[in-house]
Amino acid sequence: MAHGSQWIVLHGRASSLVLEACPGEAPLWRYWGPRLPDAALPAVPLRDSRPTPTFTVQFDQPLSLLPGLGQGWFGEPALKAHRAGRDWTLQATHCLLEQDGQRAVVTLTDAVARIAVAVTLALDPHSDVLTISTVLTNTGDDLLDVQWLAAAVLPLPAHARRVRSFTGRHNIEFVAIEDTLTRSQWRRENRRGLTSHDCFPGAVVLADGWAYGAQLAWSGNHCQLIDWCDDGRWQWQLGEALMPGEVRLAPGESLQSPEVLATCAADANGVAQNFHAAIRARMDWPGSAMRPRPVHLNTWEGFYFDHDEAALKDLADAAARAGIERFVLDDGWFHRRNDDTTSLGDWWPDHAKYPGGLGPLAAHVIGLGMEFGLWVEPEMVNPVSELYRAHPDWALQVAGRPLITARNQLVLDMGRSDVRDYLFERLSGLLAELPIGYLKWDHNRDLTAAGERPSYRTQVLGTYDLLARLRAAFPAVEIEACAGGGGRIDAGIARFTHRFWTSDNIDAVSRVAIQRGFLQFMPPELMGSHVGAAPAHATGRIQKMSLRNHVALPGHFGVELDLRKLSDRDLARLGEGIARYKGLRRRLHTGQVWQGEGPDGLLWQAHGSAAELVLLVTRIEPQQQRHAPGLRLPMLDPARHYRIGDAVHHGAWLVQHGLDLPPLRAESGLVLELTAL
Ligand code: GLA
């Protein structure tokens, strides 16, 4: 085994990976961690460094890029498949390596089970994010039934300790949970058919002095697991969760996995910064560059289904006066949609509410200098709708099983081209007829019986296809991804969209934690963050306008309340919040983000660079100490001086001692601008 080893080495800015390639098998994972000098390779091939322990098969199978099954690897395999019970042992017998700079393609074939697997790894030197995906091809003569294909198998070092992942539900997204890694397998799986509120498809692993992050770019079912290996390391697999019978590859057919974005850095902030850079590089903005994120007005919580054209025009007038730049007409505008029991699928304006269609309202909004946006929920149908009456078979169903509704709605079969054509025709009709610059694309339920044969996967691909067609036909239109708030936040749908609706919970206190979780994986300019009403509709809690402004500030700022009902004082405060956002948005949305916890319950986040920072400090609970200790700002340059307001501080003082802050009341925040001199 000592012969013929060669190395696959990819270096990033601050990280490196090393795989050991041996002829006739999958490359072995040797290293993923802090940047190594170019010449720092293992002195000996792995197997030469580890004698065979007692009671061990006489073939040493360390962790590879594609751990097999039944051939000496006893951990979780990267692939589970069979042909009617045969060809279940999977182990590469041939390996072809191709490396072109920062990109390596490893093509593995198994001459016995007759499959081919190509793993592509690309390490972006700027973001330090490794993108991995895997394609499985059935090279045999019979159907290959696939139960699991890891999109990526990542090695974690023996000093990995804890994994931070995110759970939640509607109205409480991104609840952080931290588990200690043990010899029991750690596993998070989602079977809700969309990304889900309950299980974000990614995590951060905290090792001694180093942190790892990975996220799956996929908007459907998913699974990730961390499995202890015999040599004390861990393997981390992420991939699409497949239902029984969901993928059966005919001879010659392939299964393409979603991409995994993976990175490592000194700490969780470094992981977040790398993810932000990678997601930014993947974004497809109209005009190919992000323009300043316009201030939104969304009509949902201010009006719900109660659309009145004259009142909405008044609202638009008030919005324009307040400095709002985009007016988004939410649910309630289409044919007979007066509550959530009917009409999804009937995508034409309700003529009782809008006798002249949406044209007059849109023209009014545009005449005020704002953009016009529209809410849609294309993948859904209410049983009470013209669409369902005409095409009951278009809803996902299993014969003999009840049609389980959620919010009174069913899910359209996005795998059908006639369904997608209908939706394309309706949506493109609206986009062509009306001056719509923005779509809010919702998906308000989990999937249950997704078709006679499970078609969760085709559901996602069908939606991506429809999004891609619409983007190609209307490249200037931006799209917001929403699923009852944050039920579809992932790097897969971000390829087609430009904003996430982070949560239906706009309570500013709840939002603090939700947004901190979001920022672990996604950059702030994609984070829809609104000033809502008081009391907050989701919780009933009342918060000051200043706190609502403060919490909405770092994201893509919006307003979701009936502006006409605000007191003069609140309206003036909101105007100040909007003006402050406009003044800071460039810095908030283009630099790096750091988040931390200060002493005595203070939360802080900083956006920008070590030369120019916006610092947001938030206090939720009352201060417990009489005097607050300094807030240490580790990201600053200790060799420089910083101007904050009228004072000049030494960087080293701010890094080591910290910034002395005035006392903050409970539920309040402070925004400071730091400029290096
Ligand atoms: C979902 C969204 C809300 C709103 C409603 C409309 O719940 O998250 O923002 O658009 O649907 O029905």
Side-chain angles (χ1 to χ4, degrees):
M1 278 302 174
H3 323 290
S5 290
Q6 52 171 309
W7 313 107
I8 304 170
V9 183
L10 296 176
H11 293 299
R13 190 176 25 84
S15 70
S16 301
L17 67 85
V18 180
L19 284 146
E20 179 180 333
C22 313
E25 60 174 315
L28 307 178
W29 265 119
R30 295 302 306 268
Y31 181 80
W32 180 39
R35 174 72 155 93
L36 297 169
D38 289 356
L41 287 171
V44 285
L46 180 54
R47 289 180 176 108
D48 292 0
S49 68
R50 32 192 252 173
T52 308
T54 55
F55 203 88
T56 301
V57 295
Q58 288 174 298
F59 168 68
D60 180 14
Q61 179 59 73
L63 176 65
S64 78
L65 192 60
L66 190 80
L69 183 62
Q71 293 295 295
W73 174 253
F74 297 100
E76 189 77 28
L79 173 61
K80 291 181 198 164
H82 64 95
R83 287 192 183 82
R86 300 181 63 87
D87 293 335
W88 63 277
T89 61
L90 299 162
Q91 183 86 344
T93 55
H94 183 263
C95 172
L96 174 71
L97 300 179
E98 292 157 289
Q99 187 168 348
D100 178 12
Q102 293 298 113
R103 186 166 176 274
V105 180
V106 179
T107 306
L108 302 163
T109 45
D110 179 345
V112 180
R114 288 158 299 146
I115 56 161
V117 176
V119 184
T120 305
L121 305 102
L123 179 55
D124 173 22
H126 305 295
S127 64
D128 251 323
V129 168
L130 173 68
T131 304
I132 308 191
S133 63
T134 304
V135 190
L136 164 68
T137 303
N138 178 8
T139 53
D141 301 328
D142 308 301
L143 274 182
L144 183 74
D145 200 322
V146 185
Q147 293 162 10
W148 171 243
L149 172 67
V153 175
L154 298 162
L156 293 168
H159 54 274
R161 301 280 174 247
R162 285 170 294 135
V163 53
R164 188 179 295 160
S165 66
F166 292 84
T167 180
R169 64 166 170 84
H170 177 234
N171 277 338
I172 308 281
E173 292 82 348
F174 287 105
V175 176
I177 45 174
E178 214 163 280
D179 298 305
T180 301
L181 292 175
T182 71
R183 288 201 184 196
S184 302
Q185 191 181 79
W186 178 89
R187 186 181 179 97
R188 298 286 317 272
E189 187 159 343
N190 163 53
R191 299 176 208 87
R192 290 174 186 271
L194 75 164
T195 321
S196 88
H197 300 85
D198 308 61
C199 190
F200 180 81
V204 176
V205 173
L206 303 162
D208 293 343
W210 199 245
Y212 294 82
Q215 55 176 310
L216 186 73
W218 183 244
S219 311
N221 291 331
H222 51 83
C223 176
Q224 54 172 332
L225 59 94
I226 299 178
D227 198 31
W228 189 81
C229 306
D230 278 341
D231 54 13
R233 292 185 294 171
W234 314 79
Q235 63 155 329
W236 188 359
Q237 293 189 10
L238 299 97
E240 184 187 351
L242 300 173
M243 295 299 123
E246 182 159 16
V247 172
R248 294 189 306 162
L249 297 179
E253 253 183 4
S254 295
L255 170 64
Q256 166 73 61
S257 83
E259 289 175 326
V260 169
L261 308 185
T263 190
C264 58
D267 57 18
N269 276 328
V271 167
Q273 290 163 4
N274 295 352
F275 278 148
H276 295 182
I279 299 280
R280 282 175 178 160
R282 290 160 65 93
M283 291 296 295
D284 180 12
W285 293 104
S288 66
M290 182 187 83
R291 54 191 176 100
R293 300 292 71 218
V295 178
H296 274 207
L297 184 287
N298 181 291
T299 61
W300 179 239
E301 289 201 354
F303 280 68
Y304 290 109
F305 296 102
D306 197 10
H307 288 210
D308 174 279
E309 196 175 345
L312 285 162
K313 285 182 177 165
D314 286 349
L315 179 72
D317 293 340
R321 281 197 300 275
I324 284 163
E325 299 161 310
R326 182 185 273 159
F327 182 97
V328 182
L329 188 66
D330 209 282
D331 197 355
W333 60 268
F334 50 98
H335 182 61
R336 298 204 177 136
R337 178 75 165 175
N338 297 319
D339 55 35
D340 66 11
T341 61
T342 73
S343 306
L344 291 171
D346 299 345
W347 300 114
W348 56 92
D350 182 72
H351 290 292
K353 293 177 189 167
Y354 298 98
L358 291 177
L361 176 61
H364 185 81
V365 165
I366 284 170
L368 290 163
M370 295 183 290
E371 285 175 45
F372 183 70
L374 194 64
W375 178 95
V376 289
E377 196 181 356
E379 295 137 285
M380 299 294 154
V381 64
N382 283 113
V384 183
S385 65
E386 307 277 332
L387 181 64
Y388 190 75
R389 217 165 292 137
H391 298 286
D393 56 319
W394 281 11
L396 288 173
Q397 52 203 282
V398 173
R401 298 280 180 205
L403 282 169
I404 300 178
T405 51
R407 206 191 190 206
N408 311 300
Q409 63 201 54
L410 300 170
V411 185
L412 291 172
D413 184 347
M414 297 298 290
R416 290 179 64 140
S417 59
D418 49 359
V419 169
R420 296 198 303 275
D421 287 347
Y422 166 78
L423 292 171
F424 180 79
E425 183 231 318
R426 295 270 24 125
L427 296 174
S428 58
L430 288 164
L431 291 168
E433 281 159 29
L434 294 162
I436 296 172
Y438 186 81
L439 285 179
K440 177 176 171 189
W441 186 296
D442 216 333
H443 182 299
N444 278 321
R445 62 162 292 175
D446 295 330
L447 272 55
T448 45
E452 288 296 340
R453 293 222 11 238
S455 37
Y456 297 95
R457 174 179 174 72
T458 37
Q459 199 64 20
V460 176
L461 296 175
T463 299
Y464 287 173
D465 175 70
L466 179 60
L467 281 161
R469 271 173 82 182
L470 285 163
R471 290 291 331 276
F474 301 93
V477 174
E478 287 188 15
I479 302 179
E480 171 171 11
C482 173
R488 190 155 60 180
I489 295 175
D490 62 78
I493 203 151
R495 285 258 191 221
F496 310 98
T497 57
H498 309 93
R499 188 190 208 241
F500 292 111
W501 182 223
T502 318
S503 177
D504 276 350
N505 184 349
I506 323 180
D507 175 309
V509 170
S510 304
R511 271 295 184 120
V512 170
I514 295 171
Q515 295 183 175
R516 288 174 85 81
F518 178 98
L519 291 173
Q520 180 63 64
F521 301 98
M522 296 288 166
E525 63 272 23
L526 305 191
M527 180 173 80
S529 53
H530 291 178
V531 170
H537 293 200
T539 62
R541 289 195 291 208
I542 293 176
Q543 289 126 11
K544 295 183 298 259
M545 182 57 82
S546 56
L547 182 77
R548 287 178 272 159
N549 269 331
H550 177 76
V551 173
L553 176 68
H556 181 172
F557 191 97
V559 177
E560 188 164 338
L561 47 75
D562 188 348
L563 278 170
R564 303 168 311 159
K565 293 183 182 155
L566 282 186
S567 67
D568 289 346
R569 186 184 148 90
D570 273 354
L571 196 56
R573 284 262 156 83
L574 177 61
E576 287 161 22
I578 291 172
R580 182 176 61 178
Y581 166 77
K582 288 179 177 173
L584 295 176
R585 61 186 157 189
R586 180 190 59 78
R587 268 180 285 166
L588 289 166
H589 293 165
T590 52
Q592 291 173 300
V593 176
W594 291 262
Q595 302 193 91
E597 289 173 26
D600 198 8
L602 276 188
L603 297 169
W604 62 268
Q605 69 193 71
H607 294 222
S609 67
E612 195 192 34
L613 272 182
V614 181
L615 175 68
L616 292 94
V617 183
T618 308
R619 169 169 290 296
I620 298 301
E621 296 299 328
Q623 187 169 315
Q624 292 184 357
Q625 301 171 185
R626 287 195 169 78
H627 302 286
L631 181 68
R632 299 171 72 202
L633 299 170
M635 81 297 282
L636 297 185
D637 183 345
R640 298 179 81 168
H641 285 80
Y642 287 86
R643 179 179 297 285
I644 308 177
D646 294 331
V648 174
H649 304 255
H650 198 291
W653 182 258
L654 297 176
V655 171
Q656 300 299 347
H657 164 82
L659 175 65
D660 295 316
L661 291 171
L664 281 180
R665 302 189 64 168
E667 299 196 4
S668 69
L670 195 64
V671 180
L672 297 170
E673 294 174 51
L674 282 71
T675 313
L677 299 176

